[in-house]
Amino acid sequence: MTSTVIAAIDGSAAAWPVLEVAGAFARATATTVQALHVAEDGDDAADALAAARGTPLRIATGDVTSCLVDATAAAEVLAIVLGGRGRPGGARPAGHVALGVMARVDKPVIVVPPDAAHPARLEHVLVPAEGRPDGTGTLAALLERLARSGLQLTALHVADEASLPKYSDQTQHETEAFAREFAARNLPRSIDVELGFRVGQPAAEVLAACDEPTIDMVVIAWSRDLSSGRARVVRQLLERSRIPVLLVPETDDAGPGEGTSDPGRRVGRSRTVGRHPSDHEEH
């Protein structure tokens, strides 16, 4: 059975970057794209947009969120791509449809900002790794699929400045150890991964890394919980990122590394981006 990526579109201009991101993701994962539109009376703009992109379109009727959730549940669906951006500074980090789908589906969801930068390009993926590297099986399988298509993967580790010693000559070694652990838990041994390293507040530093011109998408595991005090990095990405955000629901499955570090596995070069703890000066 051929896997499918759903591109959820309406009749607005925001549907075009959704179609482009879905196409790029489908090429990277060797899947097909199926556009899905929940129809409203007299709305034929979605049909024209899908036709212009050359994407097959399916029309559904009913509650928008429920239709998208039901469609994503199909066995052949790998992921769903949809637009979503709440008002800057508002109480919600995305529109109500995007939030409803994100909370209810157990498959990857790609949220595309309406002003997405280079939505048709997918060559370099950023994977924030907060604290203990995640052992999510779904994340591991997806990263393997992306890496095998030739995409560059950068795992970003953000260290809390307050937790670091003022002077440290061990940061590079600690960073490389973290890279090995992250790779062992989330990628098969044959896949190379680069590590980006920043010091500061995680959400701010992840957003800053997303602004690098070579980064095309950010992939992050999450708990499907945006309640107060939870998923701060995810919330900031949904509110402010100008590149697509791929949310991977956390599972209880172990990744390829079975939750253990492999000191011998191959990790790409580490690089420090932003402030480095050894740059601090004593006053």
Side-chain angles (χ1 to χ4, degrees):
M1 179 184 298
T2 302
S3 295
T4 301
V5 174
I6 292 178
I9 63 172
D10 56 15
S12 73
W16 188 255
V18 169
L19 289 167
E20 290 202 311
V21 169
F25 184 74
R27 288 190 295 274
T29 53
T31 56
T32 61
V33 180
Q34 171 76 66
L36 175 61
H37 173 58
V38 182
E40 298 176 357
D41 292 340
D43 183 4
D44 58 0
D47 185 53
L49 286 166
R53 188 66 176 75
T55 304
L57 175 67
R58 180 162 70 90
I59 304 294
T61 58
D63 175 75
V64 177
T65 301
S66 295
C67 286
L68 297 181
V69 170
D70 291 345
T72 306
E76 69 274 13
V77 174
L78 174 66
I80 182 169
V81 185
L82 71 171
R85 174 60 58 83
R87 291 175 297 135
R92 297 184 309 194
H96 72 280
V97 171
L99 290 174
V101 172
M102 289 158 42
R104 292 170 58 184
V105 303
D106 59 0
K107 294 182 181 179
V109 177
I110 304 176
V111 183
V112 182
D115 57 348
H118 44 79
R121 189 184 79 191
L122 185 53
E123 299 172 355
H124 191 176
V125 171
L126 181 74
V127 188
E130 299 179 72
R132 178 183 174 89
D134 195 284
T136 298
T138 305
L139 176 63
L142 183 59
L143 293 180
E144 178 181 0
R145 196 163 186 166
L146 292 173
R148 292 196 185 283
S149 73
L151 268 67
Q152 179 180 353
L153 300 180
T154 295
L156 177 65
H157 176 41
V158 179
D160 183 355
E161 186 174 9
S163 68
L164 293 174
K166 193 164 188 179
Y167 297 101
S168 175
D169 57 1
Q170 299 297 316
T171 302
Q172 183 67 21
H173 299 295
E174 293 167 1
T175 299
E176 291 174 355
F178 183 91
R180 286 193 296 271
E181 183 179 0
F182 178 88
R185 291 175 61 88
N186 290 283
L187 292 170
R189 295 185 182 186
S190 59
I191 300 303
D192 195 9
V193 60
E194 180 186 69
L195 182 74
F197 180 70
R198 286 176 175 261
V199 177
Q201 199 278 329
E205 296 301 331
V206 170
L207 277 167
C210 289
D211 284 339
E212 293 188 13
T214 63
I215 301 296
D216 303 315
M217 181 178 288
V218 55
V219 180
I220 186 168
W222 82 304
S223 62
R224 293 190 290 176
D225 183 359
L226 278 176
S227 58
S228 179
R230 300 296 302 274
R232 290 186 177 91
V233 173
V234 169
R235 179 178 290 275
Q236 287 295 306
L237 286 171
L238 293 174
E239 288 178 351
R240 299 172 55 190
S241 175
R242 293 192 63 245
I243 61 174
V245 180
L246 200 171
L247 301 172
V248 182
E250 292 175 346
T251 70
D252 294 329
D253 300 329
E258 299 298 331
T260 60
S261 182
D262 176 7
R265 85 144 290 153
R266 180 167 55 92
V267 177
R269 63 184 179 88
S270 299
R271 60 190 179 98
T272 302
V273 183
R275 291 179 300 160
H276 190 285
S278 62
D279 292 336
H280 294 185
E281 297 181 359
E282 184 176 16
H283 296 287

